[in-house]
Amino acid sequence: MMAEECIYNLITKEEVKPPKPPMYTSQFKENVKAELKAKDGSYKTMGPAKVEVPTTQDFLKKREKEPKLLAKKEFKYPDDERRRPEVPNKDDRPLMGLKTTKDFIKTNAVENIMSIPRKAEKNFVDTKGGDKQPLEPSGLEPKYVQKKEYGKTPGYLVKRSHELQKAQEEYNEYISEHFRRGAMQQLSEDERQVILHGLKQNWEEIHHQYQGLSMVVDTVPKKNRKERLETEMKQLERDIESIEKHHVIYLSN
């Protein structure tokens, strides 16, 4: 609704500004000032640094800041303990007059009699020049056929076979008990073949319909029909696989 016209509205009115609210003052202002005053001057770097002045005896000397090497140590080869002694000098005189009561002939004979003969290495020559190669890693010598357990059924397979046989016997007892009660009946082989043939014939018919679909699936009905045919074919394939896998089928009454 528009305001009514009045001559007094043409008079300029003085703009009245609303009073400003009081300025916000934090309650932590005094604490901040105290902390700032306590830390004041800790970061100033103007003026001479307050460090200990070196004495006249601690002046910088020549080569004082160069890296110092470790103390020299006597060098030894890694096989120093196994090395033979050095050849004696020509001026060194050997010890004279040393005698021993050891019979080297008998000692050598006893050591050879008691020693175990070294096993001959099996090698084969592959070139006319006589180059030898070890026979064992080459694969030319039969190795596994000479083992004691070669040709025998492993123990874990024998154990597994016994477990399967025991489970089959328990299952047969369970089926026999249900046969005696009349709660189950076995599907004959002729009936099984008839069912299997019917399933395969149904799969062929659905597969023929599936092949007759258009290549372009651009509508919802076409998409739904294709998915329905694929689902039926997969279900028939599972049923056919199950019946072909189990030759003995029982039906519960």
Side-chain angles (χ1 to χ4, degrees):
M1 185 175 180
M2 297 181 64
E4 296 180 358
E5 294 184 0
C6 181
I7 193 64
Y8 292 104
N9 293 336
L10 299 175
I11 301 173
T12 305
K13 297 181 181 180
E14 185 179 358
E15 184 180 0
V16 180
K17 295 182 179 180
K20 292 184 179 180
M23 187 175 62
Y24 172 78
T25 304
S26 175
Q27 58 179 344
F28 305 104
K29 181 177 180 180
E30 299 299 331
N31 297 339
V32 173
K33 284 184 177 181
E35 292 181 3
L36 185 61
K37 190 174 182 180
K39 296 180 180 179
D40 188 18
S42 59
Y43 51 83
K44 290 182 179 180
T45 57
M46 297 294 291
K50 295 181 179 180
V51 295
E52 186 179 356
V53 180
T55 62
T56 56
Q57 303 296 331
D58 298 334
F59 59 90
L60 185 63
K61 299 177 183 179
K62 186 178 181 181
R63 303 184 183 276
E64 188 175 0
K65 290 190 176 182
E66 291 183 358
K68 295 182 180 180
L69 301 178
L70 298 176
K72 292 184 179 180
K73 295 182 180 180
E74 185 180 359
F75 175 76
K76 290 186 178 181
Y77 288 96
D79 58 344
D80 191 37
E81 298 179 356
R82 298 183 287 105
R83 298 180 70 180
R84 295 181 180 181
E86 297 180 356
V87 179
N89 195 0
K90 62 179 182 179
D91 297 332
D92 296 341
R93 299 183 62 183
L95 297 176
M96 306 297 291
L98 296 178
K99 295 182 180 181
T100 179
T101 57
K102 181 178 180 181
D103 192 344
F104 290 95
I105 298 177
K106 291 183 178 181
T107 303
N108 191 18
V110 171
E111 289 180 356
N112 284 278
I113 293 171
M114 300 300 294
S115 63
I116 300 174
R118 187 177 61 177
K119 190 176 181 180
E121 297 181 358
K122 294 183 179 181
N123 299 323
F124 70 96
V125 180
D126 57 353
T127 62
K128 63 180 181 180
D131 296 332
K132 295 188 299 181
Q133 304 292 339
L135 182 62
E136 183 176 355
S138 65
L140 300 176
E141 184 182 17
K143 181 177 180 181
Y144 294 97
V145 296
Q146 297 178 359
K147 291 188 175 182
K148 296 180 180 180
E149 62 273 10
Y150 177 76
K152 297 181 181 180
T153 306
Y156 71 94
L157 290 180
V158 176
K159 182 180 178 181
R160 178 64 176 170
S161 178
H162 291 335
E163 291 177 354
L164 292 176
Q165 185 177 1
K166 184 178 179 181
Q168 185 65 33
E169 292 175 357
E170 293 177 354
Y171 178 73
N172 293 336
E173 292 178 0
Y174 171 77
I175 296 299
S176 301
E177 181 66 23
H178 280 70
F179 270 131
R180 286 194 295 270
R181 295 178 184 176
M184 297 180 65
Q185 94 181 48
Q186 182 178 355
L187 189 68
S188 63
E189 182 63 24
D190 295 337
E191 295 175 342
R192 175 175 169 274
Q193 292 296 334
V194 170
I195 295 173
L196 189 61
H197 179 71
L199 291 174
K200 291 183 178 180
Q201 190 173 3
N202 292 342
W203 187 89
E204 291 289 344
E205 293 177 359
I206 297 175
H207 186 255
H208 180 71
Q209 297 178 15
Y210 185 80
Q211 287 182 331
L213 295 175
S214 61
M215 298 296 294
V216 180
V217 183
D218 53 353
T219 60
V220 176
K222 290 182 180 180
K223 182 178 181 182
N224 294 338
R225 188 185 180 198
K226 181 180 179 183
E227 292 178 354
R228 179 176 57 81
L229 292 177
E230 289 177 350
T231 304
E232 293 178 359
M233 289 173 61
K234 288 181 181 178
Q235 182 62 38
L236 288 172
E237 289 173 359
R238 287 194 291 267
D239 296 340
I240 292 171
E241 183 182 1
S242 178
I243 294 177
E244 288 181 343
K245 183 179 180 181
H246 301 90
H247 297 279
V248 181
I249 302 174
Y250 298 98
L251 302 177
S252 60
N253 296 333

